[in-house]
Amino acid sequence: MMHLSSNDLCPTVKNILLLDSEGKRVAVKYFSDDWPTNNSKLAFEKAVFAKTLRTNARMEAEIVTFQEHIVVYKFVQDLHFFVTGGDDENELLLAAVLQGFFDAITLLLRNNVDKREALENLDLIFLCLDEIVDRGMILETDASLIAGKVAIHSMDAGAPLAEQTISQALATAREHLTRTLLK
């Protein structure tokens, strides 16, 4: 009898990387033990950056198989976005994660997607990563939902309802209703 782990049934992401145009970290999150040390993570980032540097992934996301992983990536301005999955993972799903991450960042940075803006808004980027993937499991790929949840989290939680915008209040209500219905 074969035993399936939850990872066999559920698509997973191994890491999401946001690097600058020199391959240096802007924001990275790992969800796998494939890279147990910081040095192994840095080595992977450097290697995947070098492998993809000569490609032109500006308009459409590109896909490459690299070190027994599938890496989907896209470059914008001086930022390089990467999503890594296992070599048996669905490329379209990884591409959806990449596109959701990229589009949510674009919304949150108000179309100023570059290294300086990203560094000034790292908190939003990490909240974004948390909304997209949890322990490797894909939670959300819809950019407007991701950006909306990040906007709610980044708001002053103690702010009175009157100071929240109508859309934030509606988003909060919608999220609360969804949670109630899912219980």
Side-chain angles (χ1 to χ4, degrees):
M1 187 164 157
M2 193 171 101
H3 292 287
L4 293 173
S5 71
S6 62
N7 286 354
D8 293 332
L9 303 173
C10 184
T12 57
V13 171
K14 302 244 180 194
N15 65 44
I16 299 178
L17 312 173
L18 180 55
L19 307 177
D20 69 12
S21 57
E22 295 169 3
K24 305 264 188 299
R25 281 182 177 181
V26 175
V28 301
K29 195 136 189 185
Y30 284 81
F31 311 101
S32 158
D33 297 332
D34 291 21
W35 306 274
T37 66
N38 195 46
N39 281 347
S40 62
K41 290 173 182 161
L42 288 168
F44 177 78
E45 292 161 26
K46 186 176 181 179
V48 78
F49 179 79
K51 168 94 174 163
T52 59
L53 187 59
R54 302 257 177 267
T55 60
N56 183 20
R58 296 239 170 239
M59 300 307 280
E60 294 290 319
E62 297 284 330
I63 299 169
V64 65
T65 303
F66 179 70
Q67 295 180 355
E68 297 180 19
H69 295 94
I70 293 172
V71 181
V72 184
Y73 60 98
K74 184 173 186 162
F75 307 152
V76 179
Q77 309 279 19
D78 52 358
L79 291 174
H80 294 218
F81 293 75
F82 299 89
V83 173
T84 306
D87 59 1
D88 57 346
E89 210 52 78
N90 182 328
E91 292 100 345
L92 293 174
L93 215 51
L94 296 174
V97 171
L98 176 77
Q99 196 62 48
F101 179 46
F102 170 74
D103 290 343
I105 296 296
T106 302
L107 287 168
L108 291 164
L109 300 183
R110 295 177 190 85
N111 290 328
N112 299 321
V113 182
D114 62 36
K115 182 181 175 182
R116 190 181 61 78
E117 279 294 319
L119 290 172
E120 287 176 7
N121 294 283
L122 269 181
D123 56 336
L124 298 180
I125 291 172
F126 279 109
L127 283 170
C128 215
L129 291 171
D130 290 343
E131 290 297 336
I132 297 168
V133 175
D134 182 32
R135 288 177 281 165
M137 290 194 312
I138 301 164
L139 302 176
E140 184 60 70
T141 59
D142 183 308
S144 56
L145 288 175
I146 296 162
K149 287 180 179 178
V150 168
I152 290 168
H153 288 308
S154 63
M155 253 181 15
D156 176 14
L161 211 51
E163 289 179 28
Q164 294 181 21
T165 66
I166 298 295
S167 63
Q168 288 167 332
L170 284 172
T172 306
R174 191 168 37 244
E175 191 175 322
H176 181 72
L177 179 65
T178 305
R179 269 202 215 110
T180 314
L181 293 172
L182 291 175
K183 283 184 181 171

